[in-house]
Amino acid sequence: MGRRRVDPRRRAGRHSERMPVITVKDLRKRYGGQVAVDGVSFTVEEGEIFGILGPNGAGKTTTVECVAGLRTPDSGSVDVLGLDPGKDRDALRLVLGMQLQESRLPEKQTVAEALRLYASFYPDPADWAGLLADLGLYGKRDVRFGRLSGGQKQRVSIALALVGNPKVAVLDELTTGLDPQARRDTWELIEEVRARGVTIVLVTHSMAEAERLCDRVALIDAGRVVAVDTPAGLVSRVDAEQRMRFRPASPLDDVLLTALPEVTSVTRRGAQVVVSGTGDLVHAVTSVLARNQIIAAELRVEQASLDDAFVALTGRRLEPTTEEE
C-alpha cells in the first residue's frame, strides 16, 4: 500500500496545538556588506495580531519575507506551523497568505479575474465571491484594478492574502499612503480578519496602528529586536508620569494642586495650567477643582505612548518616511 499523503494544513494544525504558530530564532540576513537582520528572535501565538514595528530600513520586511519563504536567511531558523519556509515552500503556501508592501496587479485586470486566478492556485480555496462581499468589494468585482481607490486596492490585497484559506496572514505596511478614513476602515478590516480565526503578523512603522491593533509588538531597530511585549507593557517601561493641561475658568491658586500627593509639578503657559504627576492624578486634580467650583476648560490628559517607549528603548524617535526597506 502506498504511503498516505498528509494534508499539510492538518499537520500544521497538530503542531500549533503544542507550539507557537511562528517561531523565529537568531535570524540573520545581509546584502553584501549591509546587515539587514541581525539576530532577530520572536514567537507568534495562535489567534493574535502580532506587530513588527520599526522605522523604514530596520529589517522588518526582510524578516517577514524570510518567514514567508521569499528570502533565504544566512543563518538562524524559522518555523511556521511546524514547517520550514526554506524546505516546505509548497506546504507553507497552503497555510500562509501574504500581502507584500509593493504588490501590484495588472491595471486592466478586474478584481474578479484576480481573485479567480489566485483561488485556482489552491486545492481548497475560500469562496472568493463571498470574500469580496465580506470585504465590501463585491460591487467592484468587475472593475479594473487600475480604477480602484487606494483603500479599495488594499482591500483587494487582503482578499488575495486570504483566498487560500490561510491560518496565518502577513500584512506588510498595509495602510501606507492611505487617507485617515481609509486607514481606519482598513484597521477595522484587519480586526475582522482576526475574528475569522486567522493569526496576523502586521508589519508597520505606525505607532497608532500598532497601539490600536496589536496584542503584542516586536520593536525592531537596525536589524535587532529591541523588545517584545504588549503595547501597554512597552509603555509601562518608560516614565509613568502623566500630564494634565487645562484652562481654569476662574482664578486658581497653584497651592491647591501642589498640595496633592499625586502632583509633582505645576507650571503655567499663558492662561493654561500644566499639572504633572503620578498615580490617580486625574481624579485627584478634578476632585479638588470641583470642591473649589473651578471649571477646567479645554482639559487634556497626556500619558506615555508607544512612541515614548520607542524613544526610551532606542534613544531616538521613530520618524515615518516614504522610503522602502
Side-chain angles (χ1 to χ4, degrees), residues 161-302:
L162 297 179
V163 74
N165 271 329
K167 294 180 179 294
V168 180
V170 177
L171 307 177
D172 188 2
E173 298 288 4
L174 190 64
T175 61
T176 297
L178 298 185
D179 62 62
Q181 184 58 54
R183 186 177 300 115
R184 286 191 291 270
D185 291 344
T186 303
W187 289 351
E188 292 179 3
L189 284 174
I190 293 171
E191 292 171 329
E192 291 171 9
V193 170
R194 192 256 291 275
R196 297 166 67 100
V198 179
T199 300
I200 296 173
V201 177
L202 181 68
V203 179
T204 183
H205 62 249
S206 166
M207 294 293 183
E209 189 163 279
E211 286 187 301
R212 159 72 185 267
L213 295 174
C214 297
D215 300 297
R216 290 189 303 134
V217 175
L219 292 184
I220 295 185
D221 187 41
R224 294 175 177 268
V225 173
V226 178
V228 179
D229 206 337
T230 64
L234 290 170
V235 170
S236 70
R237 301 187 189 194
V238 303
D239 188 355
E241 188 173 72
Q242 307 167 52
R243 288 177 298 279
M244 295 178 62
R245 300 174 185 268
F246 62 91
R247 179 175 54 80
S250 54
L252 168 65
D253 186 346
D254 290 359
V255 174
L256 289 174
L257 302 177
T258 56
L260 296 171
E262 293 86 356
V263 174
T264 56
S265 69
V266 177
T267 58
R268 298 266 181 169
R269 296 183 181 177
Q272 191 177 64
V273 176
V274 181
V275 184
S276 299
T278 57
D280 198 353
L281 178 69
V282 176
H283 177 72
V285 170
T286 54
S287 294
V288 76
L289 293 177
R291 286 197 299 272
N292 288 273
Q293 299 181 330
I294 298 173
I295 297 173
E298 302 169 10
L299 175 64
R300 290 194 306 166
V301 179
E302 302 173 354

Side-chain angles (χ1 to χ4, degrees), residues 24-90:
V24 176
K25 292 183 179 179
D26 200 24
L27 192 70
R28 299 177 187 273
K29 180 69 177 178
R30 68 166 58 231
Y31 303 105
Q34 180 180 2
V35 176
V37 179
D38 189 11
V40 165
S41 299
F42 60 84
T43 60
V44 179
E45 302 297 331
E46 183 177 9
E48 73 175 337
I49 298 178
F50 183 87
I52 299 181
L53 175 66
N56 289 308
K60 307 185 304 295
T61 293
T62 296
T63 297
V64 295
E65 286 179 346
C66 289
V67 169
L70 300 178
R71 293 191 186 275
T72 302
D74 297 329
S75 61
S77 65
V78 179
D79 182 291
V80 182
L81 290 161
L83 303 171
D84 180 334
K87 299 176 181 178
D88 305 315
R89 292 182 182 178
D90 289 342

